[in-house]
Amino acid sequence: MSRCPVNDLILYAYGELEDPEREAALFAHLRTCKSCQEELEFLRNLQRGDLEEGAKPPPVAVPPLRAPVHWRFHWLRVAAGILLFLFAAGTTWWLTTQRQDKSAFDRAVQNEILLAAQTDSLMAALRNLNLAFPGLDSGSVLADCAGTEVLSLLGNAERLLSDLRDDFQAHSGSQKEVIFQ
Amino acid sequence: MNSLHQQSDAELVRQAKRGSTKALDALVQRYALPLYSFIRALAGSSSLANELYQETWYRCFQALRTRYRERGHFRTWLFGIAVNVVRQSRQQSRTLPLDEDRFDTLVSQEHSEDEVVNGERKRYLYRAIARLPEPEREVVLLRLQSDLTFREIAEVLNKPLNTVLSHMHRAVKRLRSELKELA
């Protein structure tokens, strides 16, 4: 006698045996196996209704899993808008400030050079610059100018402008406040 | 538009995750009875079953809120949570008492002779199932109480299908032996 196909028997009893060939083999086995016939009958009697008891489940409090999606997106959009506005405003302010710093400084230097050209007194112009910008370390610039009397005022003026710019940029943090006071 | 009760589990889960309490409530209503019956049969006492039933839904809601991904079926996932909740409870308390009184009450409420005989059969069957080893009892209850297919049971218990069927076969042999007297 062949070994009983118990797994297929159980699947068949509950309508879950989907392979026609295995089903046919099971039928062939059932014709000759009394034990499997009895087990099939028992399984068919052992149906779901046997255990139903009418017990009433207790109520369950159902919480919202999260805020509805459109509200979430709404707040995300608002937050993104605020961040974008702050970024744009900050960038505009910074660029404007930089331009103001540079143009104010250039104008001040040009005025002093013009004054020096008019008075033939570059040293006086430097002293005036130093007075106008008290935090500016223009000592080295002044020393250079003192040792270059042979240079013409106009030739020296360009170098002076460059030195002052470098010096200004190196101390721009402290100079900005002084310049715009 | 389909009403919530006609929609698939997957669709209800999607709506619930988007914030619909009505969809979540429809899921709870759909599985309340089979889930509670399963837990009650496994847990033994009614008071413990109520507690474990609430705990199962609580964990379900927590997981839906955070880590649930639609890989399998919702109902096998839900019953998997229930099995874990009951097993953990059993590990903590070591023993779960068998509440046989509830079937005595059931029998006393029935009136006709056939109903009494049927009630007697249910009581014997329940007691026989309650004496089954844990793996066999889980399979029998998931099949008979919760109406899961054997493939779904394999998914719930994270076992191969043949192992599940072997548990069922052994359980049937024991139950046949236990119920022989009644027959």
Side-chain angles (χ1 to χ4, degrees), chain A residues 63-87:
Chain A
L65 295 183
R66 63 178 54 174
V69 170
H70 63 278
W71 277 107
R72 280 197 307 126
F73 282 151
H74 173 75
W75 285 111
L76 278 176
R77 279 198 296 268
V78 170
I82 290 172
L83 284 175
L84 196 63
F85 172 77
L86 290 175
F87 177 76

PDB file of all heavy atoms in Angstrom, chain A residues 63-87:
ATOM      1  N   PRO A  63      -7.593  55.265  16.420  1.00  0.00           N
ATOM      2  CA  PRO A  63      -6.968  56.602  16.362  1.00  0.00           C
ATOM      3  C   PRO A  63      -6.648  56.991  14.929  1.00  0.00           C
ATOM      4  O   PRO A  63      -6.463  56.126  14.070  1.00  0.00           O
ATOM      5  CB  PRO A  63      -5.666  56.383  17.143  1.00  0.00           C
ATOM      6  CG  PRO A  63      -5.306  54.969  16.817  1.00  0.00           C
ATOM      7  CD  PRO A  63      -6.590  54.210  16.600  1.00  0.00           C
ATOM      8  N   PRO A  64      -6.572  58.275  14.622  1.00  0.00           N
ATOM      9  CA  PRO A  64      -6.070  58.659  13.297  1.00  0.00           C
ATOM     10  C   PRO A  64      -4.584  58.337  13.221  1.00  0.00           C
ATOM     11  O   PRO A  64      -3.834  58.639  14.157  1.00  0.00           O
ATOM     12  CB  PRO A  64      -6.310  60.176  13.240  1.00  0.00           C
ATOM     13  CG  PRO A  64      -6.397  60.598  14.660  1.00  0.00           C
ATOM     14  CD  PRO A  64      -6.896  59.429  15.454  1.00  0.00           C
ATOM     15  N   LEU A  65      -4.181  57.678  12.142  1.00  0.00           N
ATOM     16  CA  LEU A  65      -2.767  57.292  12.032  1.00  0.00           C
ATOM     17  C   LEU A  65      -1.883  58.504  11.782  1.00  0.00           C
ATOM     18  O   LEU A  65      -0.754  58.567  12.180  1.00  0.00           O
ATOM     19  CB  LEU A  65      -2.589  56.274  10.914  1.00  0.00           C
ATOM     20  CG  LEU A  65      -3.289  54.932  11.146  1.00  0.00           C
ATOM     21  CD1 LEU A  65      -2.993  53.981  10.005  1.00  0.00           C
ATOM     22  CD2 LEU A  65      -2.856  54.313  12.466  1.00  0.00           C
ATOM     23  N   ARG A  66      -2.430  59.509  11.088  1.00  0.00           N
ATOM     24  CA  ARG A  66      -1.695  60.753  10.856  1.00  0.00           C
ATOM     25  C   ARG A  66      -2.668  61.773  10.287  1.00  0.00           C
ATOM     26  O   ARG A  66      -3.775  61.431   9.909  1.00  0.00           O
ATOM     27  CB  ARG A  66      -0.515  60.557   9.917  1.00  0.00           C
ATOM     28  CG  ARG A  66      -0.929  60.119   8.531  1.00  0.00           C
ATOM     29  CD  ARG A  66       0.264  59.995   7.642  1.00  0.00           C
ATOM     30  NE  ARG A  66       1.280  59.125   8.221  1.00  0.00           N
ATOM     31  CZ  ARG A  66       2.372  58.759   7.600  1.00  0.00           C
ATOM     32  NH1 ARG A  66       2.593  59.202   6.389  1.00  0.00           N
ATOM     33  NH2 ARG A  66       3.244  57.960   8.151  1.00  0.00           N
ATOM     34  N   ALA A  67      -2.221  63.029  10.261  1.00  0.00           N
ATOM     35  CA  ALA A  67      -3.081  64.072   9.704  1.00  0.00           C
ATOM     36  C   ALA A  67      -3.329  63.796   8.238  1.00  0.00           C
ATOM     37  O   ALA A  67      -2.478  63.221   7.563  1.00  0.00           O
ATOM     38  CB  ALA A  67      -2.408  65.429   9.869  1.00  0.00           C
ATOM     39  N   PRO A  68      -4.515  64.179   7.738  1.00  0.00           N
ATOM     40  CA  PRO A  68      -4.781  63.965   6.314  1.00  0.00           C
ATOM     41  C   PRO A  68      -3.697  64.578   5.447  1.00  0.00           C
ATOM     42  O   PRO A  68      -3.108  65.595   5.784  1.00  0.00           O
ATOM     43  CB  PRO A  68      -6.119  64.685   6.110  1.00  0.00           C
ATOM     44  CG  PRO A  68      -6.763  64.670   7.437  1.00  0.00           C
ATOM     45  CD  PRO A  68      -5.648  64.767   8.438  1.00  0.00           C
ATOM     46  N   VAL A  69      -3.481  63.941   4.312  1.00  0.00           N
ATOM     47  CA  VAL A  69      -2.341  64.297   3.459  1.00  0.00           C
ATOM     48  C   VAL A  69      -2.386  65.745   2.998  1.00  0.00           C
ATOM     49  O   VAL A  69      -1.383  66.439   2.996  1.00  0.00           O
ATOM     50  CB  VAL A  69      -2.320  63.348   2.245  1.00  0.00           C
ATOM     51  CG1 VAL A  69      -1.318  63.838   1.228  1.00  0.00           C
ATOM     52  CG2 VAL A  69      -1.963  61.952   2.703  1.00  0.00           C
ATOM     53  N   HIS A  70      -3.605  66.263   2.613  1.00  0.00           N
ATOM     54  CA  HIS A  70      -3.621  67.610   2.047  1.00  0.00           C
ATOM     55  C   HIS A  70      -3.187  68.645   3.081  1.00  0.00           C
ATOM     56  O   HIS A  70      -2.580  69.647   2.725  1.00  0.00           O
ATOM     57  CB  HIS A  70      -4.995  67.936   1.485  1.00  0.00           C
ATOM     58  CG  HIS A  70      -6.089  67.947   2.502  1.00  0.00           C
ATOM     59  ND1 HIS A  70      -6.708  66.790   2.916  1.00  0.00           N
ATOM     60  CD2 HIS A  70      -6.637  68.953   3.209  1.00  0.00           C
ATOM     61  CE1 HIS A  70      -7.631  67.099   3.809  1.00  0.00           C
ATOM     62  NE2 HIS A  70      -7.615  68.394   4.010  1.00  0.00           N
ATOM     63  N   TRP A  71      -3.460  68.382   4.377  1.00  0.00           N
ATOM     64  CA  TRP A  71      -3.008  69.316   5.402  1.00  0.00           C
ATOM     65  C   TRP A  71      -1.501  69.250   5.571  1.00  0.00           C
ATOM     66  O   TRP A  71      -0.833  70.254   5.748  1.00  0.00           O
ATOM     67  CB  TRP A  71      -3.693  69.012   6.737  1.00  0.00           C
ATOM     68  CG  TRP A  71      -5.046  69.638   6.797  1.00  0.00           C
ATOM     69  CD1 TRP A  71      -6.249  69.009   6.716  1.00  0.00           C
ATOM     70  CD2 TRP A  71      -5.329  71.036   6.898  1.00  0.00           C
ATOM     71  NE1 TRP A  71      -7.259  69.916   6.763  1.00  0.00           N
ATOM     72  CE2 TRP A  71      -6.736  71.181   6.884  1.00  0.00           C
ATOM     73  CE3 TRP A  71      -4.544  72.178   6.985  1.00  0.00           C
ATOM     74  CZ2 TRP A  71      -7.354  72.413   6.960  1.00  0.00           C
ATOM     75  CZ3 TRP A  71      -5.175  73.403   7.078  1.00  0.00           C
ATOM     76  CH2 TRP A  71      -6.558  73.523   7.058  1.00  0.00           C
ATOM     77  N   ARG A  72      -0.975  68.050   5.503  1.00  0.00           N
ATOM     78  CA  ARG A  72       0.486  67.927   5.617  1.00  0.00           C
ATOM     79  C   ARG A  72       1.162  68.685   4.496  1.00  0.00           C
ATOM     80  O   ARG A  72       2.088  69.452   4.697  1.00  0.00           O
ATOM     81  CB  ARG A  72       0.908  66.448   5.561  1.00  0.00           C
ATOM     82  CG  ARG A  72       0.738  65.729   6.876  1.00  0.00           C
ATOM     83  CD  ARG A  72       1.541  64.441   6.872  1.00  0.00           C
ATOM     84  NE  ARG A  72       1.252  63.622   5.732  1.00  0.00           N
ATOM     85  CZ  ARG A  72       2.146  63.159   4.898  1.00  0.00           C
ATOM     86  NH1 ARG A  72       3.398  63.410   5.089  1.00  0.00           N
ATOM     87  NH2 ARG A  72       1.787  62.401   3.883  1.00  0.00           N
ATOM     88  N   PHE A  73       0.679  68.504   3.268  1.00  0.00           N
ATOM     89  CA  PHE A  73       1.285  69.191   2.137  1.00  0.00           C
ATOM     90  C   PHE A  73       1.107  70.704   2.251  1.00  0.00           C
ATOM     91  O   PHE A  73       1.972  71.469   1.861  1.00  0.00           O
ATOM     92  CB  PHE A  73       0.678  68.683   0.831  1.00  0.00           C
ATOM     93  CG  PHE A  73       1.217  67.349   0.410  1.00  0.00           C
ATOM     94  CD1 PHE A  73       0.455  66.458  -0.329  1.00  0.00           C
ATOM     95  CD2 PHE A  73       2.507  66.968   0.759  1.00  0.00           C
ATOM     96  CE1 PHE A  73       0.957  65.232  -0.706  1.00  0.00           C
ATOM     97  CE2 PHE A  73       3.027  65.749   0.389  1.00  0.00           C
ATOM     98  CZ  PHE A  73       2.246  64.884  -0.341  1.00  0.00           C
ATOM     99  N   HIS A  74      -0.059  71.103   2.800  1.00  0.00           N
ATOM    100  CA  HIS A  74      -0.308  72.528   2.965  1.00  0.00           C
ATOM    101  C   HIS A  74       0.767  73.143   3.848  1.00  0.00           C
ATOM    102  O   HIS A  74       1.390  74.151   3.493  1.00  0.00           O
ATOM    103  CB  HIS A  74      -1.690  72.726   3.582  1.00  0.00           C
ATOM    104  CG  HIS A  74      -1.990  74.141   3.939  1.00  0.00           C
ATOM    105  ND1 HIS A  74      -2.288  75.079   2.982  1.00  0.00           N
ATOM    106  CD2 HIS A  74      -2.006  74.790   5.131  1.00  0.00           C
ATOM    107  CE1 HIS A  74      -2.482  76.244   3.581  1.00  0.00           C
ATOM    108  NE2 HIS A  74      -2.334  76.095   4.882  1.00  0.00           N
ATOM    109  N   TRP A  75       1.028  72.527   4.996  1.00  0.00           N
ATOM    110  CA  TRP A  75       2.025  73.097   5.912  1.00  0.00           C
ATOM    111  C   TRP A  75       3.436  73.010   5.347  1.00  0.00           C
ATOM    112  O   TRP A  75       4.262  73.887   5.568  1.00  0.00           O
ATOM    113  CB  TRP A  75       1.943  72.391   7.272  1.00  0.00           C
ATOM    114  CG  TRP A  75       0.733  72.841   8.035  1.00  0.00           C
ATOM    115  CD1 TRP A  75      -0.381  72.108   8.333  1.00  0.00           C
ATOM    116  CD2 TRP A  75       0.499  74.159   8.549  1.00  0.00           C
ATOM    117  NE1 TRP A  75      -1.290  72.879   8.997  1.00  0.00           N
ATOM    118  CE2 TRP A  75      -0.778  74.152   9.154  1.00  0.00           C
ATOM    119  CE3 TRP A  75       1.243  75.338   8.555  1.00  0.00           C
ATOM    120  CZ2 TRP A  75      -1.325  75.265   9.754  1.00  0.00           C
ATOM    121  CZ3 TRP A  75       0.689  76.452   9.154  1.00  0.00           C
ATOM    122  CH2 TRP A  75      -0.578  76.427   9.745  1.00  0.00           C
ATOM    123  N   LEU A  76       3.691  71.976   4.592  1.00  0.00           N
ATOM    124  CA  LEU A  76       5.006  71.876   3.948  1.00  0.00           C
ATOM    125  C   LEU A  76       5.191  73.014   2.959  1.00  0.00           C
ATOM    126  O   LEU A  76       6.264  73.605   2.868  1.00  0.00           O
ATOM    127  CB  LEU A  76       5.130  70.529   3.224  1.00  0.00           C
ATOM    128  CG  LEU A  76       5.511  69.343   4.092  1.00  0.00           C
ATOM    129  CD1 LEU A  76       5.497  68.066   3.261  1.00  0.00           C
ATOM    130  CD2 LEU A  76       6.903  69.553   4.683  1.00  0.00           C
ATOM    131  N   ARG A  77       4.135  73.306   2.212  1.00  0.00           N
ATOM    132  CA  ARG A  77       4.233  74.392   1.232  1.00  0.00           C
ATOM    133  C   ARG A  77       4.479  75.730   1.926  1.00  0.00           C
ATOM    134  O   ARG A  77       5.300  76.541   1.495  1.00  0.00           O
ATOM    135  CB  ARG A  77       2.946  74.459   0.401  1.00  0.00           C
ATOM    136  CG  ARG A  77       2.889  73.455  -0.738  1.00  0.00           C
ATOM    137  CD  ARG A  77       1.842  73.869  -1.761  1.00  0.00           C
ATOM    138  NE  ARG A  77       0.500  73.870  -1.208  1.00  0.00           N
ATOM    139  CZ  ARG A  77      -0.327  72.845  -1.262  1.00  0.00           C
ATOM    140  NH1 ARG A  77       0.043  71.747  -1.859  1.00  0.00           N
ATOM    141  NH2 ARG A  77      -1.532  72.916  -0.743  1.00  0.00           N
ATOM    142  N   VAL A  78       3.751  75.972   3.030  1.00  0.00           N
ATOM    143  CA  VAL A  78       3.916  77.231   3.763  1.00  0.00           C
ATOM    144  C   VAL A  78       5.344  77.347   4.291  1.00  0.00           C
ATOM    145  O   VAL A  78       6.005  78.391   4.146  1.00  0.00           O
ATOM    146  CB  VAL A  78       2.901  77.304   4.926  1.00  0.00           C
ATOM    147  CG1 VAL A  78       3.226  78.477   5.840  1.00  0.00           C
ATOM    148  CG2 VAL A  78       1.491  77.449   4.372  1.00  0.00           C
ATOM    149  N   ALA A  79       5.841  76.257   4.889  1.00  0.00           N
ATOM    150  CA  ALA A  79       7.201  76.281   5.445  1.00  0.00           C
ATOM    151  C   ALA A  79       8.242  76.523   4.348  1.00  0.00           C
ATOM    152  O   ALA A  79       9.175  77.305   4.523  1.00  0.00           O
ATOM    153  CB  ALA A  79       7.483  74.960   6.165  1.00  0.00           C
ATOM    154  N   ALA A  80       8.055  75.866   3.207  1.00  0.00           N
ATOM    155  CA  ALA A  80       8.998  76.041   2.101  1.00  0.00           C
ATOM    156  C   ALA A  80       8.963  77.476   1.584  1.00  0.00           C
ATOM    157  O   ALA A  80      10.010  78.060   1.272  1.00  0.00           O
ATOM    158  CB  ALA A  80       8.657  75.064   0.971  1.00  0.00           C
ATOM    159  N   GLY A  81       7.779  78.073   1.521  1.00  0.00           N
ATOM    160  CA  GLY A  81       7.646  79.457   1.079  1.00  0.00           C
ATOM    161  C   GLY A  81       8.365  80.423   1.994  1.00  0.00           C
ATOM    162  O   GLY A  81       9.078  81.332   1.537  1.00  0.00           O
ATOM    163  N   ILE A  82       8.192  80.210   3.302  1.00  0.00           N
ATOM    164  CA  ILE A  82       8.852  81.090   4.283  1.00  0.00           C
ATOM    165  C   ILE A  82      10.371  80.974   4.156  1.00  0.00           C
ATOM    166  O   ILE A  82      11.092  81.980   4.136  1.00  0.00           O
ATOM    167  CB  ILE A  82       8.395  80.724   5.710  1.00  0.00           C
ATOM    168  CG1 ILE A  82       6.925  81.125   5.894  1.00  0.00           C
ATOM    169  CG2 ILE A  82       9.265  81.412   6.754  1.00  0.00           C
ATOM    170  CD1 ILE A  82       6.312  80.637   7.186  1.00  0.00           C
ATOM    171  N   LEU A  83      10.848  79.751   4.052  1.00  0.00           N
ATOM    172  CA  LEU A  83      12.303  79.545   3.931  1.00  0.00           C
ATOM    173  C   LEU A  83      12.851  80.190   2.665  1.00  0.00           C
ATOM    174  O   LEU A  83      13.908  80.836   2.683  1.00  0.00           O
ATOM    175  CB  LEU A  83      12.619  78.041   3.925  1.00  0.00           C
ATOM    176  CG  LEU A  83      12.552  77.346   5.282  1.00  0.00           C
ATOM    177  CD1 LEU A  83      12.774  75.849   5.109  1.00  0.00           C
ATOM    178  CD2 LEU A  83      13.614  77.914   6.224  1.00  0.00           C
ATOM    179  N   LEU A  84      12.118  80.045   1.559  1.00  0.00           N
ATOM    180  CA  LEU A  84      12.559  80.626   0.298  1.00  0.00           C
ATOM    181  C   LEU A  84      12.608  82.152   0.392  1.00  0.00           C
ATOM    182  O   LEU A  84      13.567  82.794  -0.074  1.00  0.00           O
ATOM    183  CB  LEU A  84      11.603  80.198  -0.818  1.00  0.00           C
ATOM    184  CG  LEU A  84      12.095  80.388  -2.242  1.00  0.00           C
ATOM    185  CD1 LEU A  84      13.333  79.531  -2.489  1.00  0.00           C
ATOM    186  CD2 LEU A  84      11.001  80.019  -3.240  1.00  0.00           C
ATOM    187  N   PHE A  85      11.585  82.728   1.017  1.00  0.00           N
ATOM    188  CA  PHE A  85      11.530  84.184   1.158  1.00  0.00           C
ATOM    189  C   PHE A  85      12.697  84.680   2.004  1.00  0.00           C
ATOM    190  O   PHE A  85      13.375  85.656   1.652  1.00  0.00           O
ATOM    191  CB  PHE A  85      10.203  84.587   1.804  1.00  0.00           C
ATOM    192  CG  PHE A  85      10.135  86.043   2.154  1.00  0.00           C
ATOM    193  CD1 PHE A  85       9.921  87.006   1.183  1.00  0.00           C
ATOM    194  CD2 PHE A  85      10.322  86.462   3.465  1.00  0.00           C
ATOM    195  CE1 PHE A  85       9.879  88.348   1.497  1.00  0.00           C
ATOM    196  CE2 PHE A  85      10.287  87.802   3.791  1.00  0.00           C
ATOM    197  CZ  PHE A  85      10.063  88.745   2.821  1.00  0.00           C
ATOM    198  N   LEU A  86      12.961  83.988   3.137  1.00  0.00           N
ATOM    199  CA  LEU A  86      14.056  84.405   4.007  1.00  0.00           C
ATOM    200  C   LEU A  86      15.398  84.323   3.281  1.00  0.00           C
ATOM    201  O   LEU A  86      16.253  85.202   3.408  1.00  0.00           O
ATOM    202  CB  LEU A  86      14.086  83.542   5.274  1.00  0.00           C
ATOM    203  CG  LEU A  86      12.934  83.782   6.260  1.00  0.00           C
ATOM    204  CD1 LEU A  86      13.000  82.788   7.403  1.00  0.00           C
ATOM    205  CD2 LEU A  86      12.993  85.214   6.796  1.00  0.00           C
ATOM    206  N   PHE A  87      15.580  83.250   2.507  1.00  0.00           N
ATOM    207  CA  PHE A  87      16.834  83.078   1.771  1.00  0.00           C
ATOM    208  C   PHE A  87      17.018  84.190   0.749  1.00  0.00           C
ATOM    209  O   PHE A  87      18.096  84.808   0.643  1.00  0.00           O
ATOM    210  CB  PHE A  87      16.834  81.711   1.083  1.00  0.00           C
ATOM    211  CG  PHE A  87      18.048  81.472   0.236  1.00  0.00           C
ATOM    212  CD1 PHE A  87      19.268  81.154   0.818  1.00  0.00           C
ATOM    213  CD2 PHE A  87      17.973  81.569  -1.144  1.00  0.00           C
ATOM    214  CE1 PHE A  87      20.394  80.942   0.043  1.00  0.00           C
ATOM    215  CE2 PHE A  87      19.086  81.351  -1.925  1.00  0.00           C
ATOM    216  CZ  PHE A  87      20.304  81.040  -1.333  1.00  0.00           C
TER     217      PHE A  87
END
